[in-house]
Amino acid sequence: VVQLVEVGGGSVQTGGSLTLSCDASGWRYSSYCMGWFRQAPGKEREAVAHIDSDGGLEYADAVKGRFTISKDIAPNRLYLQMKNLKPEDTAVYYCAADDGPERGEPDMRGLRSIICGYDNWGQGTQVTVSS
């Protein structure tokens, strides 16, 4: 089981910046998925950004160009840099991980892409953006 601890939430005004970090420990495998999710009051949890050990990077359309996900190896820490924050970014942000994700069927090049199934979650950190 991967243990995840997020820090860095807080309150900012529209247009401000925050950086979230997530310390991860307890890895068993070299391949991984890590991501940030968020849940606003009354809404379902949604994916924000993703990074994996194959070098894959993905962002939700709502945060593209404003948020950047990155990962350090030592310490094993995931980051989410958030710029030009908007009130609609207000939510509890969660760090998530998949240790040793499955891989799909080979493509025409024989490569098998990572399939992320997040089963390790942090406790969440509140981000509030005021107008």
Side-chain angles (χ1 to χ4, degrees):
V1 178
V2 178
Q3 290 81 42
L4 302 168
V5 179
E6 304 105 331
V7 296
S11 297
V12 296
Q13 292 188 327
T14 298
S17 300
L18 280 174
T19 297
L20 307 181
S21 62
C22 172
D23 285 334
S25 60
W27 296 98
R28 295 178 58 191
Y29 302 101
S30 59
S31 61
Y32 63 85
C33 295
M34 292 197 78
W36 290 97
F37 292 74
R38 67 186 181 185
Q39 187 166 21
K43 295 188 177 181
E44 293 187 356
R45 186 173 59 197
E46 63 177 357
V48 174
H50 152 98
I51 188 169
D52 63 50
S53 51
D54 283 356
L57 282 174
E58 290 184 20
Y59 295 93
D61 288 343
V63 306
K64 282 180 181 176
R66 300 187 298 121
F67 290 11
T68 302
I69 188 171
S70 61
K71 185 179 179 299
D72 283 343
I73 295 175
N76 205 321
R77 183 173 293 163
L78 183 73
Y79 298 95
L80 185 68
Q81 294 177 287
M82 304 183 292
K83 299 180 179 180
N84 191 21
L85 283 160
K86 305 175 180 180
E88 51 263 42
D89 295 318
T90 295
V92 177
Y93 284 70
Y94 297 90
C95 174
D98 182 358
D99 186 17
E102 295 183 1
R103 290 188 177 270
E105 294 297 316
D107 62 17
M108 294 186 67
R109 299 166 297 171
L111 301 176
R112 301 175 64 192
S113 296
I114 282 177
I115 300 174
C116 296
Y118 290 102
D119 51 3
N120 299 279
W121 296 87
Q123 80 284 0
T125 185
Q126 178 70 46
V127 171
T128 302
V129 185
S130 57
S131 57

